Amino acid sequence: MTPHVTLMASDTGGINGVALTVLIALFALVTIAGFMASRFKRADSLESLEEWGLGGRKFGTWITWFLLGGDLYTAYTFVAVPAAMFATGAVAGFFAVPYTIVLYPIIFIFMARLWSVSHRHGYVTTADFVRGRYDDRTLSLAVAVTGFVATMPYIALQLVGIQAVLEVAGLGGGDNIIAKDAPLFIAFALLAAYTYSSGLRAPAVIAFVKDILIYLVIIVAIVYLPGQVGGWDAIFGAAEEKMATTNEATGAPTGSFIPGAGQGWAYATLALGSALALFMYPHSITASLSSNSRNTIRRNAAILPAYSFVLGLLALLGWVAIAAGTQPIGLDGEPNAQLVIPQLFEDMFPAWFAGVAFAAIAIGALVPAAIMSIAAANTFSRNIYKEWLKKDATPAQEAKVSKLMSLLVKAFALIFVLTLDKQNAINFQLLGGIWMLQTFPVIVFSLFTRWFHRYGLLVGWAVGMVYGTVGAYNVKNPVTGKAFGGSLDNIPGIGELGYIALTAFVINVVIAAALTVALRAANVSNGNDETIPFDYFADADDPRVQKDLSEHAHHGDPYGDPDDIPGNAPVR
């Protein structure tokens, strides 16, 4: 038997006053920074999506690095990854590390091209690019709606991360809904206010504080904690022992210490599918397009793996919690693995440092929640409101709609968290990855070729969406029996468990390719392409780019393009 060291707080049922004070102080600091962020990289006006939604496309390498890091490594990442390691082991948790390693070579290849063509034509969203590439409103709408819907539960999960911190700190109990959720209401109101006033500049500034805190907390934890629980040998021994025990509800082992027989496909497809899907999300694209040059994108693809190193250390804290005997019990008295990291820090560190850790997680929710709400709002304003509801909308009107929509998006996420079972948010977020991967052929393939036919891409997307959604619905939770119980299912023709999103993606591509051959043979029009080869290599200092963008700098006037596509300058 591996010895377990149990170091529990003396009073886990009450409010941790010191930790809560530190949390509130740091939260107040970033709130002030959020409101002052409108002065950062100051613009004459924020009344356009270029300025409010993309920060004027002015962010350099380090700002973009912090912004993307704060965007991609969310509060829920810092809660869910170690929680999965704690609860079920390596397949469910540690796959996040290779997936973030595989991710960056992929974006190095295509993201610079997307940045260039977007900068050349003033595109704000990927749906803008698809609209210009194929002159197809329906295909563009499919991409826009997929991104908008998939982002909703992702924002909700950031609030779940804040709730986890507040619960461990001792807040959130009681039957009075006002008293119980008042801290979350306050955090939501502050987030909504400074996002509305400062746009993307707010999370860009706050990301500096968030990332510094995250690095500090994790490095201190990984250096200090192993010595307190008997070293890494004891940690790995405790984890291996727990994963080998039988789960009474399922009759199977609790989890996997390392991927075993029959788990290789699951581990590999989860990593690859997640890597392909992540930069299809609107918030990932928004953070990328805010950078000031295509080389900024490439430099970030080279240095962002530093976060993967930190993520690996963070994942191992889930196993440290096993060795420490951490008991993540919610205020309702029920076990909740999502509380394991906040509880570990409260148990093992002085109260003031636990407060710093709580602040790192809570502030880590604010940055991605802000970017996600801005990205979703930009998508609605540009690709639904402008494209379908008010074609003559001016940039100022677009910005106003986007600001209002960012508030509604966050309100929806808050209602989601307060009224629905949190497991529903988790399950819908699993669907988010499945859905977003189905836009990969439409976006990434189209950056390199127009061989694929627009109708083939649309049908492939639709089939992939249906297959992935139905496949995920049919996966039952082995304990509760509820639908959407996971993201793994048998791979057709192989018979091994694999990530449903990747199976749906393969079906999507096969159907798109087959229909393309048929539609090309029938000489069906593939739409008009407003881009030219130069667009995919243009950089910020190119005079043609400057001329194009200057034509759309008048915030009170309609765009005035011949085809009235937002941001589209005439081809020269």
Side-chain angles (χ1 to χ4, degrees):
M1 295 290 291
T2 304
H4 286 239
V5 179
T6 304
L7 298 172
M8 300 300 294
S10 58
D11 182 12
T12 57
I15 293 177
N16 188 329
V18 175
L20 189 59
T21 300
V22 173
L23 168 61
I24 292 172
L26 290 172
F27 201 92
L29 174 66
V30 300
T31 299
I32 295 170
F35 281 111
M36 295 182 65
S38 59
R39 305 178 183 180
F40 179 65
K41 300 280 185 182
R42 185 189 293 271
D44 293 334
S45 171
L46 294 182
E47 299 304 313
S48 72
L49 295 188
E50 285 284 326
E51 292 295 343
W52 184 84
L54 288 181
R57 306 184 195 252
K58 298 174 183 176
F59 298 156
T61 300
W62 288 111
I63 299 172
T64 304
W65 186 69
F66 279 108
L67 185 64
L68 277 170
D71 184 20
L72 303 180
Y73 298 88
T74 68
Y76 197 71
T77 302
F78 294 110
V79 169
V81 171
M85 293 286 286
F86 175 84
T88 57
V91 173
F94 211 74
F95 84 89
V97 177
Y99 122 55
T100 57
I101 293 171
V102 171
L103 167 69
Y104 298 114
I106 294 173
I107 66 169
F108 186 91
I109 293 172
F110 80 83
M111 188 55 73
R113 293 177 68 91
L114 180 60
W115 184 94
S116 290
V117 71
S118 298
H119 210 75
R120 167 76 164 87
H121 289 274
Y123 298 148
V124 175
T125 68
T126 51
D128 281 354
F129 163 67
V130 172
R131 176 70 165 93
R133 186 66 154 152
Y134 293 100
D135 189 24
D136 192 303
R137 299 171 70 203
T138 304
L139 186 59
S140 172
L141 181 65
V143 172
V145 170
T146 303
F148 186 84
V149 173
T151 302
M152 297 296 102
Y154 217 155
I155 300 172
L157 290 182
Q158 306 315 307
L159 300 183
V160 170
I162 295 177
Q163 271 195 328
V165 167
L166 295 175
E167 192 164 347
V168 172
L171 298 178
D175 298 325
N176 187 317
I177 188 171
I178 301 299
K180 177 175 130 181
D181 295 311
L184 194 61
F185 279 117
I186 294 171
F188 161 80
L190 293 173
L191 170 66
Y194 63 67
T195 301
Y196 185 93
S197 65
S198 300
L200 194 65
R201 287 169 170 81
V205 169
I206 296 173
F208 283 93
V209 180
K210 174 253 185 183
D211 289 356
I212 290 170
L213 287 176
I214 288 291
Y215 271 92
L216 171 66
V217 167
I218 293 177
I219 291 173
V220 169
I222 213 70
V223 170
Y224 172 76
L225 289 179
Q228 302 302 305
V229 297
W232 286 106
D233 183 63
I235 291 168
F236 290 136
E240 186 174 17
E241 179 183 331
K242 176 179 178 178
M243 296 305 139
T245 59
T246 301
N247 184 322
E248 295 181 0
T250 64
T254 296
S256 303
F257 178 64
I258 58 173
Q263 295 177 321
W265 277 94
Y267 191 79
T269 55
L270 276 170
L272 179 58
S274 300
L276 294 174
L278 183 58
F279 264 80
M280 298 300 100
Y281 277 98
H283 60 278
S284 302
I285 298 297
T286 295
S288 299
L289 296 186
S290 68
S291 58
N292 62 5
S293 74
R294 60 185 279 120
N295 284 333
T296 297
I297 297 294
R298 290 180 167 179
R299 283 192 291 268
N300 269 276
I303 62 179
L304 274 168
Y307 282 97
S308 300
F309 172 71
V310 174
L311 180 62
L313 300 180
L314 176 72
L316 290 176
L317 290 181
W319 284 356
V320 171
I322 296 174
T326 303
Q327 301 295 323
I329 306 296
L331 292 176
D332 59 1
E334 296 295 325
N336 182 355
Q338 309 303 320
L339 306 179
V340 69
I341 290 303
Q343 190 66 59
L344 175 67
F345 279 98
E346 183 173 63
D347 292 348
M348 303 291 287
F349 283 102
W352 69 268
F353 191 81
V356 173
F358 293 169
I361 298 173
I363 295 169
L366 299 181
V367 175
I371 303 172
M372 289 171 189
S373 63
I374 290 169
N378 288 348
T379 299
F380 176 87
S381 179
R382 177 58 68 87
N383 305 117
I384 298 176
Y385 173 75
K386 164 72 178 174
E387 184 71 63
W388 294 86
L389 303 178
K390 187 174 175 59
K391 287 184 173 295
D392 61 348
T394 66
Q397 289 172 329
E398 275 189 342
K400 182 178 180 180
V401 169
S402 196
K403 288 179 180 181
L404 294 173
M405 183 53 62
S406 74
L407 299 179
L408 292 176
V409 165
K410 285 190 277 286
F412 175 83
L414 185 64
I415 293 170
F416 203 127
V417 170
L418 296 180
T419 61
L420 298 180
D421 183 352
K422 293 178 182 61
Q423 187 60 41
N424 288 331
I426 296 169
N427 292 337
F428 281 126
Q429 203 280 321
L430 289 175
L431 271 180
I434 294 172
W435 291 337
M436 291 314 305
L437 187 53
Q438 307 320 308
T439 66
F440 189 95
V442 184
I443 298 168
V444 178
F445 291 0
S446 300
L447 287 168
F448 296 90
T449 178
R450 283 186 90 249
W451 181 82
F452 284 92
H453 198 282
R454 53 180 174 165
Y455 297 144
L457 290 169
L458 183 62
V459 174
W461 165 84
V463 173
M465 291 285 285
V466 172
Y467 177 90
T469 304
V470 172
Y473 177 84
N474 289 333
V475 177
K476 306 299 181 183
N477 186 304
V479 177
T480 65
K482 292 183 178 179
F484 297 117
S487 56
L488 299 173
D489 198 6
N490 285 329
I491 303 173
I494 297 177
E496 300 281 354
L497 281 179
Y499 188 24
I500 294 170
L502 202 59
T503 304
F505 170 76
V506 172
I507 294 172
N508 178 347
V509 173
V510 169
I511 290 176
L515 285 178
T516 293
V517 172
L519 291 166
R520 283 184 168 275
N523 290 321
V524 177
S525 171
N526 200 21
N528 298 315
D529 182 9
E530 71 180 24
T531 70
I532 59 175
F534 157 77
D535 295 343
Y536 298 89
F537 302 95
D539 212 339
D541 56 358
D542 190 287
R544 285 171 288 187
V545 175
Q546 295 300 322
K547 184 177 180 181
D548 292 342
L549 295 179
S550 68
E551 292 183 4
H552 307 291
H554 304 290
H555 303 310
D557 301 329
Y559 288 94
D561 290 348
D563 56 6
D564 203 36
I565 296 174
N568 168 35
V571 175
R572 291 174 175 79

